[in-house]
Amino acid sequence: AQTVTQSQPEMSVQEAETVTLSCTYDTSESDYYLFWYKQPPSRQMILVIRQEAYKQQNATENRFSVNFQKAAKSFSLKISDSQLGDAAMYFCAYRNAGGTSYGKLTFGQGTILTVHP
Amino acid sequence: EPEVTQTPSHQVTQMGQEVILRCVPISNHLYFYWYRQILGQKVEFLVSFYNNEISEKSEIFDDQFSVERPDGSNFTLKIRSTKLEDSAMYFCASSFLRGRLYGYGYTFGSGTRLTVV
């Protein structure tokens, strides 16, 4: 079974600064997807960024980028130029890409990000 | 942009009562999911549904739970006899499966907050 671990229950950052959220995972699969989801106080799950394991290039989406280290099974999220609206709970998630997978997402415990003005 | 719609947004029920949570997935999606998030905790997979049958379920999804797609558009989660510990946010999600592309288009609804009293 796959597991996802987020070791930082809480993080904080000053507005306009950069913050990195950590995630590690464990899997015996070679083909999978990794995701970061943002959950604001409304509790909606919003996809921030996606990484395909077979792609070596790190994914980027505007101010959000990842550092994907497949051998180390590490998938960190970097938020540049942090904004007040970035304050939320962030979840790292894993999904198998093939085989008998039916698309189940496995989530980490979440990191609460606070942005200080 | 297509959305996954969940109703109601908040439901309060008496312990021991049956409750049905409703979801309308995105119309061309093929896989449907329910997840649960107890307040302040991580999001947990409950069940996936494909081709009118359960394809995978977690240990949380016991005999008290059932899912169905009664009319080709709605996707429901029924809890037969609710317990206090069933109080949580329940998220429906749907995805479009086609080979490698199924890492994309995984969309969550905005959730139903279930309170069992």
Side-chain angles (χ1 to χ4, degrees):
Chain A
Q2 292 81 26
T3 59
V4 178
T5 303
Q6 293 177 248
S7 58
Q8 305 157 317
E10 297 183 31
M11 291 285 284
S12 64
V13 64
Q14 290 293 131
E15 198 175 4
E17 297 293 308
T18 296
V19 64
T20 299
L21 308 185
S22 301
C23 173
T24 58
Y25 59 95
D26 189 28
T27 183
S28 58
E29 303 289 333
S30 60
D31 196 9
Y32 49 86
Y33 294 93
L34 295 163
F35 306 86
W36 279 98
Y37 280 89
K38 173 184 177 181
Q39 187 180 46
S42 66
R43 299 190 74 182
Q44 174 121 23
M45 297 293 290
I46 302 167
L47 177 65
V48 175
I49 199 164
R50 166 199 299 117
Q51 175 77 43
E52 297 171 68
Y54 74 93
K55 288 185 177 178
Q56 293 193 351
Q57 186 174 5
N58 289 322
T60 62
E61 287 287 343
N62 301 312
R63 297 183 295 107
F64 299 88
S65 61
V66 299
N67 183 5
F68 173 49
Q69 302 289 327
K70 191 172 184 180
K73 294 181 181 172
S74 169
F75 182 61
S76 60
L77 173 70
K78 185 171 82 171
I79 306 174
S80 303
D81 186 25
S82 298
Q83 300 175 0
L84 294 177
D86 294 334
M89 175 82 93
Y90 286 82
F91 289 99
C92 179
Y94 168 101
R95 184 182 185 189
N96 279 339
T100 58
S101 166
Y102 292 96
K104 175 180 93 173
L105 282 171
T106 301
F107 286 87
Q109 303 92 323
T111 297
I112 298 172
L113 177 66
T114 303
V115 182
H116 298 289
Chain B
E1 188 166 329
E3 292 183 343
V4 174
T5 304
Q6 288 188 244
T7 55
S9 58
H10 188 193
Q11 180 151 2
V12 181
T13 189
Q14 296 275 345
M15 188 169 57
Q17 294 295 304
E18 176 183 284
V19 65
I20 297 175
L21 308 182
R22 303 181 190 279
C23 169
V24 179
I26 294 173
S27 61
N28 65 342
H29 282 190
L30 303 175
Y31 272 62
F32 314 110
Y33 311 87
W34 284 102
Y35 290 82
R36 180 182 82 175
Q37 184 184 29
I38 295 172
L39 184 62
Q41 298 186 24
K42 69 176 178 180
V43 180
E44 299 172 293
F45 168 78
L46 291 178
V47 65
S48 61
F49 191 86
Y50 171 67
N51 199 26
N52 284 319
E53 61 183 22
I54 290 173
S55 48
E56 188 175 4
K57 61 182 180 180
S58 72
E59 59 275 9
I60 302 169
F61 195 88
D62 61 21
D63 292 343
Q64 293 287 359
F65 293 89
S66 63
V67 289
E68 66 174 359
R69 191 159 157 79
D71 56 12
S73 62
N74 289 285
F75 178 52
T76 62
L77 174 69
K78 181 192 291 185
I79 309 174
R80 286 191 184 81
S81 178
T82 49
K83 308 181 188 69
L84 294 176
E85 54 265 36
D86 293 326
S87 294
M89 194 78 158
Y90 288 82
F91 291 101
C92 175
S94 67
S95 72
F96 177 67
L97 174 72
R98 180 171 290 174
R100 171 141 298 286
L101 290 178
Y102 85 109
Y104 295 79
Y106 199 111
T107 305
F108 280 87
S110 54
T112 293
R113 184 189 301 262
L114 176 66
T115 303
V116 182
V117 296

